[in-house]
Amino acid sequence: MKKLIIGGGLPLKGRIRISGSKNAALPILLASIMVENGVTLSNVPNLRDINTTIKLLSLLGCAVEQNQGEVKIKPQNLLPEAPYDLVRTMRASVLCLGPLLGILGQAKVALPGGCAIGARPVDLHLSALEQMGAEFDLESGYIIGRCQKLRGAHIHFDFPTVGGTENLLMAAALAEGETVLENAAREPEVVDLANFLNKCGAKISGQGTSIIRIQGVSSLSPCKYRIMPDRIEAGTYMIAAAITDGELFLEECPFNELDAVIYKLREMGVWIQEGKTGVLVRRQGTLTGVDVVTLPFPGFPTDMQAQIIALMCIAEGSSMIKETIFENRFMHVLELVRLGANIKLSGQTAMVRGVRELIGAPVMASDLRASACLVLAGLIAKGKTEVYRIYHLDRGYEKIEQKLVNVGARIARVNV
Ligand code: EPZ
């Protein structure tokens, strides 16, 4: 077991290169099982969840070669099963449902349990796939799916589910006829998946809007594809610059995919300037509190909720943040209070009153973005902060200590 020890109070200055997007790479890696003669992906981040997905691809019968950020996937003798001991470590494994049904007509995927931030059901995935002709049984915690050839359907999602939209995009790519997804998720990672599938010969239009149309094709062809940069990692380092009163140049920063985050940070008094090869971020005078509501894209992303709360803790005045996507995504609040933050929770809303300073202490990470929030708080807390359970962090932030040390942070990973 490892922990991070952070010495707070140093402004971060320098350049950080934003890595490939975890949440774009995961579905694209799993979609690759539908491409008979294989694909080559680049800018794939080196993360725990990526390594778990690559392990799953091997279990599904694919040959996978990984060399730095390049991953080659070639389906060989495909098998339809995603086992529980893998799925329980990464819920996103459920994204193999659509590809397996699309290419094999069968799937046996462990029903992902809940996780720290919420129940995370997949009912919307299953009901939409049933409209395309799939049948499901639930046996001993496994979703057993089968179908003849999936057929196109006109689907309306009760909620713009990211994973549900991604599973249906992949399933519809090789289905008979046209599929229409209404109230589809508009997240940039969904767009990246659709663009990847189109590069393999799929016929998808409307990605990035609420209505996506997919004309099924008979097969998908090999391609080379570069994963988009990670907008949540980028947003996290924007806040690192602001919270430490430093100045960071973020190379390959996805500026246009961060409108809602940039708007709110500017409202707080953060200076953000887009350049040719990246984005420059620093404070512009005192930070002031703001109100935020998390929403599906293009609203403020729930994956940036924990990080902006850390910044609100030291902003002048009050801030209010409402979490509307997940039912239990405030576990980082009690840890921030241990550092001296003034936060009150009422249902799905956190009221934050800025304090002059935070004081370092041992804190516990509960999930991926909560762990990022505690690192951000530790960067400015007076004295030493120790962040425990940092395996959460390694799921979604490539080389985070190295990137932070390179810009002046005092941070080290040690054995507990
Ligand atoms: C994706 O999760 C991301 N994960 C999450 O990022 C992100 O927070 C989330 O989208 C929202 O943007 C990946 O892309 C791997 P949803 P996903 O389906 O697909 C409910 C991170 O930190 N729902 O849009 O699971 C669900 O319970 C992670 O990188 C149903 O009720 O999100 C939740 O309340 C955390 N039934 C809401 O919708 C369903 O069938 C959003 O879920 C599906 C979802």
Side-chain angles (χ1 to χ4, degrees):
M1 188 78 93
K2 305 259 184 184
K3 66 181 176 182
L4 284 180
I5 299 183
I6 307 168
L10 299 175
L12 302 185
K13 292 192 186 302
R15 303 170 77 95
I16 291 181
R17 180 190 165 277
I18 300 304
S19 302
S21 163
K22 165 179 89 81
N23 289 350
L26 295 182
I28 289 173
L29 281 163
L30 290 168
S32 304
I33 69 173
M34 301 167 79
V35 189
E36 200 178 333
N37 294 323
V39 299
T40 300
L41 305 176
S42 58
N43 201 35
V44 179
N46 180 11
L47 300 167
R48 274 186 57 195
D49 277 6
I50 297 295
N51 296 333
T52 304
T53 305
I54 287 173
K55 217 182 289 174
L56 175 56
L57 287 171
S58 309
L59 287 175
L60 294 174
C62 296
V64 186
E65 276 173 57
Q66 208 179 349
N67 174 17
Q68 308 291 344
E70 183 174 275
V71 180
K72 291 188 167 122
I73 302 110
K74 188 155 180 2
Q76 289 177 330
N77 45 355
L78 278 180
L79 301 167
E81 182 167 346
Y84 175 66
D85 60 0
L86 190 139
V87 173
R88 70 185 172 81
T89 65
M90 188 187 69
R91 303 179 22 72
S93 312
V94 76
L95 291 173
C96 70
L97 254 185
L100 285 172
L101 290 171
I103 193 80
L104 273 188
Q106 55 177 319
K108 182 179 178 186
V109 180
L111 186 64
C115 73
I117 62 177
R120 309 290 294 274
V122 290
D123 53 313
L124 300 179
H125 302 227
L126 301 182
S127 56
L129 289 166
E130 282 169 344
Q131 290 177 63
M132 296 185 70
E135 292 171 8
F136 294 103
D137 293 315
L138 191 53
E139 278 168 33
S140 329
Y142 277 84
I143 304 166
I144 316 272
R146 63 193 161 287
C147 60
Q148 297 305 322
K149 181 99 172 134
L150 288 174
R151 33 175 214 284
H154 193 127
I155 291 159
H156 184 281
F157 284 116
D158 294 347
F159 179 86
T161 156
V162 172
T165 303
E166 291 169 341
N167 250 333
L168 270 291
L169 270 181
M170 296 185 280
L174 293 176
E176 290 288 342
E178 180 185 56
T179 299
V180 178
L181 303 180
E182 280 201 46
N183 198 22
R186 299 170 55 186
E187 272 71 2
E189 295 76 22
V190 172
V191 175
D192 215 29
L193 171 63
N195 293 344
F196 163 73
L197 289 167
N198 278 347
K199 198 163 183 193
C200 296
K203 290 189 171 48
I204 300 169
S205 59
Q207 58 269 36
T209 75
S210 302
I211 299 183
I212 304 178
R213 293 177 188 282
I214 308 106
Q215 298 293 344
V217 295
S218 53
S219 67
L220 295 174
S221 320
C223 82
K224 289 184 186 311
Y225 193 79
R226 181 176 172 76
I227 303 293
M228 66 173 278
D230 193 313
R231 63 189 170 107
I232 304 301
E233 184 198 23
T236 304
Y237 287 122
M238 283 184 178
I239 292 178
I243 207 169
T244 60
D245 200 3
E247 180 176 273
L248 291 177
F249 185 79
L250 305 180
E251 295 168 0
E252 297 196 41
C253 178
F255 190 83
N256 299 326
E257 288 78 13
L258 277 166
D259 279 356
V261 174
I262 289 168
Y263 181 83
K264 279 297 165 184
L265 291 180
R266 282 175 168 163
E267 206 183 323
M268 289 185 81
V270 182
W271 191 82
I272 302 171
Q273 180 67 43
E274 185 186 19
K276 279 202 176 30
T277 59
V279 176
L280 188 62
V281 186
R282 62 165 177 262
R283 255 189 223 179
Q284 189 175 34
T286 51
L287 292 171
T288 54
V290 285
D291 293 345
V292 171
V293 180
T294 66
L295 286 168
F297 194 89
F300 190 92
T302 175
D303 289 352
M304 283 297 301
Q305 179 254 98
Q307 297 92 307
I308 201 166
I309 284 191
L311 189 60
M312 290 168 166
C313 288
I314 54 136
E316 278 196 8
S318 299
S319 301
M320 183 199 78
I321 184 157
K322 186 171 182 203
E323 171 60 52
T324 71
I325 307 293
F326 291 108
E327 63 269 29
N328 186 33
R329 201 169 198 177
F330 278 129
M331 271 129 349
H332 41 283
V333 165
L334 295 180
E335 299 303 307
L336 288 169
V337 169
R338 283 180 50 75
L339 299 174
N342 181 346
I343 311 174
K344 299 273 182 302
L345 279 178
S346 163
Q348 289 304 305
T349 300
M351 287 300 298
V352 186
R353 283 182 175 69
V355 294
R356 204 171 46 77
E357 66 177 2
L358 298 177
I359 312 291
V363 286
M364 187 90 71
S366 51
D367 58 83
L368 168 55
R369 305 305 172 182
S371 52
C373 157
L374 297 174
V375 170
L376 291 170
L379 289 171
I380 44 122
K382 203 157 165 241
K384 181 174 79 169
T385 297
E386 296 175 305
V387 183
Y388 287 79
R389 294 191 182 170
I390 53 169
Y391 54 85
H392 292 293
L393 200 58
D394 297 335
R395 301 189 59 166
Y397 288 91
E398 187 179 44
K399 302 192 189 94
I400 186 164
E401 299 108 273
Q402 193 177 323
K403 290 186 177 185
L404 288 173
V405 163
N406 290 348
V407 292
R410 257 197 315 244
I411 181 170
R413 179 181 295 240
V414 298
N415 285 321
V416 176

